[in-house]
Amino acid sequence: MENLVRSDERIDDLQINGYKIIQHPDKFCFGMDAVLLSSFAKVREGEKALDLGTGTGILPILLEAKTEGEHFIGLEIQHESAEMANRSVLLNGLQDKIEIIEGDIKEASAIFGKGKIDVVTSNPPYMTNHHGLKNPNNAKAIARHELLCSLDDVVRETAAVLKPRGRCYFVHRPKRLVEIFEAMRKYRIEPKRIRLVYPYVDKEPNMVLVEGVRGGGAQLTVEAPLIVYENPGEYTKEIYEIYGMN
């Protein structure tokens, strides 16, 4: 373990299967959105799942723990994040199940081939390139802003790599839901299921979970809202269950 974790990094317990993840406190660390997406996504027995923009590899690791999928791939453009994700895979002894590839989302279909993947997940940058202050060379800025890829890039490459009737799962901001649906339909991915996430029961939603099917029929299910906090600092029962802390 000493060889896998550097002095300026930390190991976080993922509260499932004894799995842990390596993170750098000064870089971009995974958030609740990734954890919620890992519980919303479905990967069936024998299926291959690809996570676009995997960061430190949180989604492939959680999906391996929570689903019956056969093989999980994380694609990440930032060398430091990809290298850290690969060390987390080794730390958990998951190198036979999880593969971390350093590469560009915009080239996903060239890397993996067209129509080869059963499930795609992505926690893409929420903010457009012109929104808010940013440092283009900063890992956090790249994760949060559409500096290296756009929403259209993510959906286009998702559609390209998915098998017919393959499924995709995104987490994003509700204010961009119309854009998300437009992009999905543009590339013949039909929105099939959404769930809005609310910080408190009386507040506006701040996240949305979306499922789509490549070539699916037009029927959308809106699931019950997911409330994060019962009171300040106190999660709802469902959030505790998702985090494995019940």
Side-chain angles (χ1 to χ4, degrees), residues 4-45:
L4 293 174
V5 186
R6 296 169 183 163
S7 60
D8 57 349
E9 297 171 341
R10 71 177 192 228
I11 298 177
D12 291 342
D13 188 344
L14 294 177
Q15 306 288 326
I16 188 167
N17 285 14
Y19 290 170
K20 297 174 173 59
I21 192 165
I22 301 167
Q23 300 207 92
H24 193 302
D26 296 331
K27 307 290 182 178
F28 189 81
C29 297
F30 78 86
M32 177 176 286
D33 43 10
V35 179
L36 298 184
L37 184 58
S38 74
S39 289
F40 182 76
K42 301 179 188 300
V43 189
R44 300 174 185 136
E45 186 176 355

Side-chain angles (χ1 to χ4, degrees), residues 79-95:
H79 172 74
E80 190 174 11
S81 294
E83 191 270 337
M84 191 183 301
N86 194 55
R87 285 189 281 120
S88 288
V89 171
L90 293 171
L91 180 69
N92 292 297
L94 293 171
Q95 53 268 36

Side-chain angles (χ1 to χ4, degrees), residues 1 3 36 68 84 86 137 139 142 150 162 168 180 196 198 201 212 224 232 239-240 243:
M1 183 181 294
N3 296 329
L36 298 184
E68 298 299 316
M84 191 183 301
N86 194 55
N137 298 314
I142 290 171
S150 65
L162 277 178
C168 61
I180 295 166
L196 289 161
Y198 297 74
V201 70
I239 294 296
Y240 278 121
Y243 269 89

Side-chain angles (χ1 to χ4, degrees), residues 36-43 59 63 66-67 119-121 167-169 193 209 211:
L36 298 184
L37 184 58
S38 74
S39 289
F40 182 76
K42 301 179 188 300
V43 189
L59 270 164
L63 287 173
K66 294 180 178 184
T67 76
V119 175
V120 170
T121 57
R167 305 179 309 286
C168 61
Y169 301 91
R193 184 168 63 104
L209 299 158
E211 177 187 57

